[in-house]
Amino acid sequence: MGGAYTCARLVSEASAAGMRLDVVGVHDSILCASGRLLCGGEEIRSRDFVINRYKWGHLRDVTGACGCRQYNPAGAFTRYVDKYNQLVDLRSEAFDVPRYVLATSSPPFDAVVEAVGLPFVAKGLASSMGREIRLISSRVDYDALAHEFGADKEWIFEEYIACSRGRDMRLMAVRGEAVACMQRRSSDDFRANVALGAEVTAVAVNSELRTIASDVCRVTGLDVVGIDLLFGNPGPVLCEINVMPGLEGIESATGVNVAGRIISMIREDFLS
Ligand code: ADP
């Protein structure tokens, strides 16, 4: 439903700006052997732009390619869906990057602990809504990863930022500008995902957050990005970035018209 809110808001803001935006659902689409893309029985052809709201797959690629412009750009979108690529590339003078290693859950537990400390966080590379995020406090927790997910799955094993337990920040950046920020807080889980019951409150955008928004957009080439930060000591620590951030939480927590900012950015691209 988060996706439904975001699509509805973008359509509504586009309409207010005199632009027609259609929602093309991958679940309603058929890509024919001839290369024709049908959605709800209608053929989807070339459009001025496409706003991509789906993570992967050929249907996403073909739908995106219908746009003369894509938001976010296809190459950056695909690269930064992956949490490992985020850790490799993202740097800013205003946040720290946690210590991490990439591995399956087969290497010796002690080797991982030596690299990132204990407890540590195990992250599936394509996790969302906290689904493949685990706090590993013991060898038993570590062994459970292979049982739950199989021994071949790749993980990021990452330093646990204990002072951020149950809390993080979501900063929304549009073309390098910090447009809104909220805190998410969970009372009973180390993960601050709204999908897992965390509550949201507004955070004032300061110069540190403005630097982060500008650095992340410059490094990645993303037009619209949700930047998740942990509360580290002394300052923010990178958690992850989201290339297709939902707007419901951030708009309701802050009252900022983020959908309107995205549509204005697109409109200016076509006017310039
Ligand atoms: P997902 O994309 O599945 O939501 P995240 O990487 O955003 O995965 O992690 C989910 C939540 O887990 C974060 O919002 C944060 O609250 C918590 N978390 C993630 N990494 C760490 C870490 N290194 N230290 C402390 N908490 C973390």
Side-chain angles (χ1 to χ4, degrees):
M1 292 308 288
Y5 172 93
T6 302
C7 288
R9 286 285 299 120
L10 290 167
V11 168
S12 151
E13 289 298 328
S15 164
M19 294 151 70
R20 195 184 111 203
L21 195 59
D22 296 322
V23 177
V24 176
V26 288
H27 299 297
D28 305 319
S29 298
I30 294 175
L31 178 59
C32 304
S34 63
R36 291 171 77 218
L37 179 65
L38 304 177
C39 181
E42 263 185 52
E43 184 165 0
I44 307 297
R45 292 168 196 261
S46 168
R47 300 291 174 104
D48 291 331
F49 67 90
V50 168
I51 303 175
N52 191 2
R53 299 275 322 146
Y54 202 71
K55 265 192 175 175
W56 46 63
H58 292 290
L59 286 168
R60 179 208 71 176
D61 292 345
V62 173
T63 310
C66 290
C68 297
R69 295 185 190 196
Q70 288 190 54
Y71 301 90
N72 281 306
F77 186 102
T78 302
R79 179 157 181 82
Y80 296 111
V81 158
D82 180 292
K83 289 182 198 292
Y84 177 70
N85 291 335
Q86 299 173 12
L87 284 170
V88 169
D89 289 2
L90 287 172
R91 296 294 178 269
S92 169
E93 65 184 52
F95 63 58
D96 288 326
V97 176
R99 283 180 291 146
Y100 67 92
V101 292
L102 179 110
T104 66
S105 50
S106 303
F109 177 65
D110 293 342
V112 178
V113 172
E114 193 181 327
V116 298
L118 189 72
F120 61 87
V121 177
K123 295 190 172 194
L125 274 57
S127 175
S128 62
M129 297 190 278
R131 277 189 285 236
E132 293 185 0
I133 307 296
R134 299 286 184 277
L135 185 60
I136 307 296
S137 302
S138 65
R139 196 179 294 266
V140 173
D141 294 341
Y142 184 65
D143 292 343
L145 289 176
H147 288 118
E148 192 179 352
F149 298 98
D152 295 334
K153 184 178 170 62
E154 286 186 333
W155 294 91
I156 295 161
F157 299 126
E158 183 177 290
E159 174 185 1
Y160 175 52
I161 308 301
C163 49
S164 196
R165 182 183 173 81
R167 270 186 333 141
D168 72 2
M169 253 188 297
R170 158 61 61 91
L171 169 64
M172 275 295 311
V174 177
R175 255 304 136 72
E177 199 184 325
V179 299
C181 187
M182 65 178 171
Q183 177 182 251
R184 298 180 291 204
R185 180 189 280 274
S186 169
S187 51
D188 56 359
D189 197 305
F190 87 97
R191 297 164 297 182
N193 295 86
V194 173
L196 299 175
E199 313 244 305
V200 296
T201 48
V203 170
V205 171
N206 59 18
S207 66
E208 187 176 58
L209 294 174
R210 278 191 277 274
T211 300
I212 291 172
S214 154
D215 288 347
V216 168
C217 291
R218 181 176 34 76
V219 169
T220 61
L222 293 164
D223 298 310
V224 178
V225 56
I227 304 164
D228 294 350
L229 301 161
L230 300 164
F231 291 91
N233 186 8
V237 175
L238 176 68
C239 180
E240 66 149 350
I241 61 170
N242 195 313
V243 298
M244 35 168 269
L247 302 183
E248 188 167 12
I250 195 92
E251 288 197 335
S252 69
T254 65
V256 175
N257 178 356
V258 180
R261 300 292 287 264
I262 295 169
I263 295 298
S264 296
M265 169 196 73
I266 295 173
R267 200 160 175 276
E268 279 159 28
D269 283 351
F270 282 86
L271 292 176
S272 61

